[in-house]
Amino acid sequence: MDVLIPLPSPEDGERALGIFERLMNQAGDGSHHLVIVVQGIGGPALSHFRYMQKGDLIVHVSEDWALEFCHLLAAAISGSLSGGFVMRTRTDAGTESICGWRITHGDTKPLSRSEVFDAYCHNPTTGETFGPEPGVEYKDAPAIH
């Protein structure tokens, strides 16, 4: 069965693009990988987007992926779906970090570093906890709404 998501309004689309732009503007230099998961009808819908940023230069792999990411974000912020997204960043200096946001009731809520850590180091199905990825820093997410 396919996962169904409601068609977002043009206003939700504009709002999602604004959030996406603020996210990219605050990300800083590095190689970034965004992943969004939205609970649709019939299960979760997932999209991802990769890009690199150095100063004012932003290079991305696929415009289609950016549009798909923004479409899911727009559907989630319409208020009818819940979900979340994370950003993993690798810098030229070799550091790696992860931060994330929850989407509820049409708004993005930044996750604290402990919430991101818990999401990455906890199996929600079994309740099992496991160690963090070596060398990864879990960070507080900035406000982007």
Side-chain angles (χ1 to χ4, degrees):
M1 176 180 187
D2 289 329
V3 176
L4 302 174
I5 59 169
L7 187 62
S9 71
E11 293 81 17
D12 292 327
E14 288 295 319
R15 194 165 149 238
L17 284 173
I19 292 169
F20 186 69
E21 287 174 355
R22 285 188 294 281
L23 179 62
M24 291 180 76
N25 287 337
Q26 291 187 26
D29 289 352
S31 175
H32 307 287
H33 185 201
L34 293 164
V35 178
I36 185 169
V37 178
V38 174
Q39 188 60 42
I41 299 167
L46 178 131
S47 180
H48 68 99
F49 177 67
R50 293 179 189 268
Y51 71 99
M52 293 180 65
Q53 186 169 348
K54 183 130 183 152
D56 291 337
L57 177 65
I58 294 177
V59 179
H60 55 85
V61 175
S62 169
E63 190 172 302
D64 290 340
W65 289 356
L67 292 173
E68 185 179 312
F69 183 93
C70 286
H71 178 75
L72 277 180
L73 180 57
I77 64 173
S78 72
S80 59
L81 302 175
S82 63
F85 56 100
V86 294
M87 180 170 57
R88 180 182 289 260
T89 299
R90 289 186 178 99
T91 67
D92 289 343
T95 63
E96 188 169 354
S97 63
I98 301 172
C99 62
W101 297 261
R102 178 180 301 117
I103 306 167
T104 54
H105 306 294
D107 199 12
T108 59
K109 307 274 188 205
L111 297 176
S112 70
R113 90 165 125 217
S114 63
E115 289 171 312
V116 176
F117 179 89
D118 187 49
Y120 271 82
C121 300
H122 179 255
N123 183 326
T125 306
T126 65
E128 181 183 2
T129 306
F130 44 89
E133 292 181 65
V136 174
E137 180 183 0
Y138 301 89
K139 291 184 154 185
D140 293 337
I144 55 171
H145 54 259

